[in-house]
Amino acid sequence: MTKKTSLTSGNITSALLAFILPMMLGSLIQQLYSMTDSVIVGQFAGKEGLAAINSVATLFKFPLNFMNGLAAGATILISRAYGAKDGQDLRRSIHAALAVGVVLGVIFTVGGVLATPWLMRAMSIPAEIWEPTRVYCGIYFSGMWAMVLYNMTAGILRAFGDTRRPLYVLILCCVVNIGGDLLLVGVFHMGVAGAAAATVAAQVISAVAVLWLLHRAMDGGLIGKDGAQLQKKKFGEMLQKGMPLAIQSILFPIANSIIQASVNNMGTDAIAAWGICDKLDLLIWLVADSMSPALTTYVAQNIGAGQLGRVKKGAVIGTLMSAGTVAVISLILYIGSGLFGSWFISAEDAGDILPLVVRYMTMMCPFFFFYSFAEGFSGACCGMGNTLTPMITTLTTICLLRVLAIWFILPRYGTMECIVWIYIASWIVAGTAFTGMFLFRSRKLAKQGGALPGAAE
């Protein structure tokens, strides 16, 4: 087996860096799938093709985020079993997680394909990009099972402390995706259909490869005498921990889809510019979103190993590392958004799109660090065992706030700038709320010696 990072001993900063850097690189490579699609489609299919793939980008996050939430619930159980060195408990948790991944992967694939026309109407897709968007959605959803299965299996490996081998798989698949994009879109001029097909092919390869790695990590026990047994107790525990996280994870795309529908009503230029902004700030989300599951694993492993003194210190260090990195990236984007944005659009359309990109990015950049505080401390609280409270907090401080603002504030102003300020307000409120929640729960953990409600099973 590949050497794993120890999160329960040694220098905390070094351990977190060794654990999270491969995960961040893996997330970056995974994001390169969509970034590559945007760059190549924007260059070869114009702003209409770029608008088509970005107008429905939030739709694909529903099943993936939901599955990532369940995977995070599984990670809590698997990390504690791993930290306590309980092999039987570890094995049962893994089998329960894989069973859920397979079943939900199939459900999301079939449901997504069948619901595509209805989802597009709900997203207010403009008539001029309706057909390419429909084709893109149909192909993309057909490979959703592979994306879901990869994310669950990679989450299991990360619970062991193994973040390197999933990274190697993603490097291979990124090469496949880029090569497929260049061939299908650039050479055969298949447009958005070629971009979707290349992404699906890459994800299928990643799912098969990471399942094989997990089989080897379990010394061939992934498929064995008890490999197909669904441990009912572990299944229930995983759902208890994971369902609030799954609901929390899909709250973001629900709120963002409502916002995207408002953006779609503002025309092709606004859709394309907002889509480019989403690609430019992907490093922001990559850093912050990677730290959240990393701290969930870190906190859960240390509680399982009885290393309570490391819990608060590690969570604070990890969150500050995330916030500092986000601040540096924000400064670079504030200065260079016009230059970087030009990569995503042809020279013919740049005059219409780039001024909008620069305007939106310079508004958002000073406030991104609030989001890193929200994600870091939310992940730490989940690692303590309570996943319901972070879900409710996310619902109220981000999702509900955004939806109410879209319904009651946006009609008064009717501008993209108003939408940008809605996002900014939600980051500030969420970052403040999760910081307070973490400080409260860490004090309670210290007083009760780790016996937090919901922390012990």
Side-chain angles (χ1 to χ4, degrees), residues 142-283:
S142 69
M144 189 59 65
W145 63 270
M147 302 177 196
V148 166
L149 192 56
Y150 168 81
N151 286 342
M152 175 61 87
T153 310
I156 294 172
L157 289 174
R158 286 193 291 267
F160 293 171
D162 182 2
T163 56
R164 295 183 181 180
R165 292 187 295 180
L167 170 62
Y168 302 151
V169 171
L170 284 175
I171 291 174
L172 169 64
C173 295
C174 186
V175 172
V176 172
N177 187 73
I178 293 174
D181 275 338
L182 290 173
L183 179 65
L184 299 179
V185 181
V187 177
F188 293 114
H189 304 291
M190 293 176 60
V192 297
T199 300
V200 168
Q203 289 287 3
V204 170
I205 292 174
S206 70
V208 173
V210 81
L211 277 170
W212 178 72
L213 289 175
L214 179 59
H215 181 64
R216 290 192 60 188
M218 295 176 66
D219 298 322
L222 181 59
I223 302 175
K225 291 184 178 180
D226 63 344
Q229 292 180 3
L230 177 59
Q231 304 294 337
K232 293 183 179 180
K233 181 180 178 182
K234 284 299 165 189
F235 179 75
E237 290 177 358
M238 190 193 76
L239 289 181
Q240 181 185 14
K241 298 295 183 189
M243 191 57 69
L245 291 172
I247 295 173
Q248 174 183 333
S249 296
I250 65 172
L251 292 176
F252 280 98
I254 288 174
N256 291 343
S257 292
I258 293 173
I259 295 175
Q260 184 64 53
S262 298
V263 174
N264 292 346
N265 285 324
M266 296 186 183
T268 299
D269 286 357
I271 298 172
W274 189 241
I276 290 175
C277 289
D278 186 55
K279 300 303 181 295
L280 290 180
D281 57 28
L282 74 86
L283 285 178

Side-chain angles (χ1 to χ4, degrees), residues 386-451:
N386 185 342
T387 59
L388 181 60
T389 305
M391 184 270 285
I392 295 173
T393 304
T394 299
L395 170 63
T396 55
T397 63
I398 295 184
C399 303
L400 185 60
L401 186 153
R402 289 180 183 177
V403 171
L404 290 177
I406 286 293
W407 286 347
F408 297 107
I409 297 178
L410 181 60
R412 180 178 177 182
Y413 297 96
T415 65
M416 275 298 303
E417 286 76 8
C418 180
I419 292 177
V420 173
W421 279 115
I422 290 171
Y423 271 89
I424 292 171
S426 69
W427 300 333
I428 295 173
V429 174
T432 303
F434 276 113
T435 299
M437 180 191 303
F438 169 75
L439 293 176
F440 171 78
R441 289 192 59 77
S442 61
R443 284 196 297 267
K444 199 168 185 178
L445 176 68
K447 289 180 181 179
Q448 299 183 8

